[in-house]
Amino acid sequence: MRSFPKNPWLMACLAASAALAAPAVYAQDGGQVNVICSVQAEWCNMIQTVFAKSTGIKVNMSLKGSGEALAQLIAERANPKTDVWFGGTGDPHLQAAEAGLSLEYKSPTLPQLHTWAQQQAQQSQYKTVGIYSGPLGFGYNTELLAKKKLAVPKSWADLLKPEFKGEIQVANPASSGTAYTMVATLVQMMGEDKAFDYMKALHKNISQYTRSGTGPIKAVARGETTVSISFVHDGPGEKLQGFPVETITPVEGTGAEIGSMSIIKGARHLEQAKKFYEWALTSQAQQFGAASKQFQLPSNKSTPVDARVPDFKKLKFINYDYAKYGASAERRPRPKSFRVRVYLVLPASSASPLVSAGASTFASLVPRSSRASTSATLSPPRMASGAMLCAIFSASARSPNAVR
């Protein structure tokens, strides 16, 4: 049941304030745990400090998007350096589970979680678990819309309108779970061919593909772009800082992420990893999401739900197939599936990891009748650094390794 404490953000902040203000000195007898954190930095920092202070376990934390986190785990597979992967969209967590990168662990806390979080655990053979959920939608800058006399985009179709040319940002599916959720949502709504025709058309209106899934909503907040394709729970935190941001979910329907957590197989600090895992599933720990201005729906049913968390009962969701779109078979090329051709032109002076699509990128899809190869043509090879991948991704090749 949705409940509204007088000020849940303040309550959680007060609970953490002493720990956050304390010197960064932790008891050494508690050991340590290495965590990859794929939520926003403020949330990562808060759980790092509070867990360490309350348990005496030092938390070595690195912040990475879910695509980057998965790539690191694959690279470290023979010699894992990570103990726990916290947060980020659930699809790559499911892929990690399928690839044997995460450890089977059936938490005694599971019965206290929402059904969708338990299902995430079950379909991964208990190698990951849901810790929050949030819907995909659009963010928009109210002042820029008014200045440019643009209507609020209310549908996926609206984003293709010519008046939005150069006004939209979205993340790169090679590095961002947010963008992968968008691709998977569109494919499930429209079918593969229509979804990629849609993304090819959308490409004309994209000004930039960011490395991080939160990059576009932050750009909207700061007036750097008008519209973003983002998780809508990222909007209220920007609005709290005084930015003119609102969010909306498309009328045709949308998907939702199940942010997940996994213990890594071969973890060097397994006992500490399990303690962190169990702590992160408690209602007390899950309040730190809202305390850090992140407004996803927590997975523990006892966690107070902030009024700014989207009301799932009022939104139109597609029947998102988490098991299918978290499977590696949907991420790697299939024979006779498609051929991708990418042309990338960057100024010689460009050192930015972000690519301005309108000025420096052209991507095209070969018609299905010509999809006889799974190869990709890149020009120049600098594309391999992962600067931009957008409408070129099909349902069967969204892995960072699918296009080199």
Side-chain angles (χ1 to χ4, degrees):
M1 177 181 292
R2 175 175 283 251
S3 60
F4 303 100
K6 292 182 179 179
N7 194 328
W9 181 86
L10 179 60
M11 289 171 63
C13 278
L14 289 173
S17 61
L20 291 172
V25 177
Y26 312 120
Q28 295 302 307
D29 54 1
Q32 61 182 324
V33 62
N34 299 324
V35 178
I36 291 178
C37 190
S38 296
V39 296
Q40 288 209 33
E42 187 175 355
W43 190 355
C44 294
N45 294 336
M46 187 174 289
I47 61 176
Q48 177 187 27
T49 304
V50 175
F51 178 76
K53 183 68 177 178
S54 61
T55 64
I57 298 172
K58 181 181 178 182
V59 181
N60 303 310
M61 185 171 283
S62 61
L63 278 59
K64 294 183 183 296
S66 54
E68 291 179 293
L70 179 59
Q72 178 176 322
L73 295 177
I74 292 171
E76 294 178 354
R77 148 172 235 149
N79 184 24
K81 297 179 176 61
T82 303
D83 302 311
V84 179
W85 178 12
F86 178 89
T89 52
D91 294 327
H93 280 268
L94 290 172
Q95 187 183 11
E98 183 188 12
L101 298 172
S102 47
L103 182 72
E104 180 179 341
Y105 176 66
K106 191 171 184 179
S107 169
T109 309
L110 281 174
Q112 301 176 30
L113 307 184
H114 284 291
T115 301
W116 46 265
Q118 295 187 49
Q119 290 175 340
Q120 184 81 342
Q122 291 164 1
Q123 65 191 23
S124 68
Q125 286 74 54
Y126 301 97
K127 294 180 180 179
T128 192
V129 67
I131 53 175
Y132 59 78
S133 184
L136 185 71
F138 314 142
Y140 58 93
N141 185 299
T142 55
E143 292 180 357
L144 284 180
L145 282 180
K147 181 180 179 180
K148 299 180 180 184
K149 298 181 180 180
L150 297 172
V152 174
K154 298 179 180 179
S155 66
W156 292 106
D158 284 348
L159 298 186
L160 301 185
K161 292 180 178 179
E163 55 261 41
F164 284 110
K165 184 174 182 180
E167 301 291 344
I168 303 171
Q169 284 193 20
V170 66
N172 172 357
S175 60
S176 165
T178 305
Y180 176 78
T181 301
M182 179 197 73
V183 174
T185 295
L186 292 171
V187 168
Q188 291 173 83
M189 285 179 56
M190 303 176 181
E192 185 175 328
D193 283 344
K194 289 184 179 179
F196 286 91
D197 286 342
Y198 174 88
M199 285 186 283
K200 185 178 178 180
L202 178 66
H203 177 71
K204 299 174 184 178
N205 288 352
I206 302 296
S207 63
Q208 195 170 75
Y209 297 90
T210 66
R211 183 178 182 182
S212 164
T214 58
I217 191 75
K218 289 183 178 297
V220 164
R222 288 149 185 79
E224 297 167 6
T225 194
T226 307
V227 176
S228 68
I229 302 174
S230 311
F231 288 121
V232 298
H233 52 248
D234 291 328
E238 300 298 328
K239 189 173 180 179
L240 278 174
Q241 298 178 61
F243 294 113
V245 179
E246 295 293 344
T247 58
I248 192 170
T249 54
V251 296
E252 303 99 326
T254 192
E257 69 166 334
I258 296 180
S260 299
M261 175 172 59
S262 307
I263 297 176
I264 306 308
K265 188 175 182 179
R268 299 180 182 184
H269 310 100
L270 183 56
E271 180 182 351
Q272 290 84 357
K274 289 181 178 180
K275 288 181 179 179
F276 181 92
Y277 189 99
E278 289 299 333
W279 176 83
L281 292 178
T282 65
S283 61
Q284 293 80 9
Q286 291 196 358
Q287 292 184 62
F288 293 129
S292 56
K293 308 181 190 71
Q294 296 300 294
F295 299 104
Q296 296 96 327
L297 178 65
S299 66
N300 191 306
K301 290 179 284 189
S302 299
T303 308
V305 179
D306 190 280
R308 289 160 291 199
V309 172
D311 189 345
F312 280 38
K313 295 178 182 178
K314 296 180 180 180
L315 304 180
K316 183 178 180 180
F317 289 103
I318 67 167
N319 186 21
Y320 194 106
D321 191 336
Y322 293 98
K324 178 178 180 180
Y325 287 90
S328 59
E330 289 300 314
R331 291 173 172 263
R332 61 175 174 255
R334 293 191 293 263
K336 299 182 180 179
S337 173
F338 68 98
R339 183 184 179 98
V340 173
R341 194 177 300 265
V342 181
Y343 300 91
L344 179 67
V345 179
L346 284 175
S349 60
S350 175
S352 172
L354 308 179
V355 176
S356 177
S360 60
T361 307
F362 172 78
S364 64
L365 290 173
V366 176
R368 174 169 282 279
S369 59
S370 303
R371 296 177 188 176
S373 169
T374 60
S375 65
T377 302
L378 304 179
S379 177
R382 185 167 178 182
M383 181 61 198
S385 67
M388 174 270 172
L389 293 175
C390 174
I392 58 173
F393 274 82
S394 90
S396 56
R398 285 177 298 257
S399 166
N401 297 321
V403 179
R404 299 183 185 278

